[in-house]
Structure formats: C-alpha cells, structure tokens
Amino acid sequence: PPGSTALMSSGLVPEAAGEEFLFSIDGMRCAACVSKIERAVTQVRGVSAASVNLMSKALRVSAASGFGGEEAVLEAVRSVGYE
C-alpha cells in the first residue's frame, strides 16, 4: 500500500539514506580475521554495517549521512591488529 515500506526479496528493509565507505585492509588471512574486524568496526559510533571481503581485502562500511568518522573506523581496524 502507498506509504508503507515494502520488503525487498532478500527480506531486508531498504536502508535509510546514508554513506558508504570502502577501505583496503592488510594482514587478513582467515574468516576469524574478517569477524574480528567486522565486530570492531560495527562498534564505531555512526556505523550501521560493516562487511569484509577476505579475497579482495576490502572493508565496506555503511554509515549515517555526514558520518565523518573514517579515522575512527581505521583506529578500530588497527585496535584489532590490522592495517
């Protein structure tokens, strides 16, 4: 119906407007590395989601518009032993 939020086929509600950031991460070797980084980054204020791709060594971060916390994300990554 008009005015309602439809669920996408994946079952996820579409995200509100925000920003997405992509970071390159060195030193990851396994799925445990991925989990450790994702947990640390999702604790950063303003981050709504974090997803690491082990093969491409990439971290994708979704955050609220006007986030401005890129350095906090990098610090979270460093705090768990990665660059």
Side-chain angles (χ1 to χ4, degrees), residues 4 6-7 13 15 26 37-38 44 48 54 59-60 65 72 74 79 83:
S4 68
L7 294 179
V13 176
E15 282 188 51
D26 289 328
I37 293 168
E38 288 176 345
V44 173
S48 57
L54 181 60
L59 164 63
R60 183 177 305 274
S65 291
L74 294 174
S79 76
E83 293 292 322

Side-chain angles (χ1 to χ4, degrees), residues 28-48:
M28 296 185 298
R29 304 213 183 325
C30 63
C33 300
V34 168
S35 295
K36 189 185 272 190
I37 293 168
E38 288 176 345
R39 277 194 309 270
V41 172
T42 56
Q43 298 302 308
V44 173
R45 185 178 190 161
V47 170
S48 57

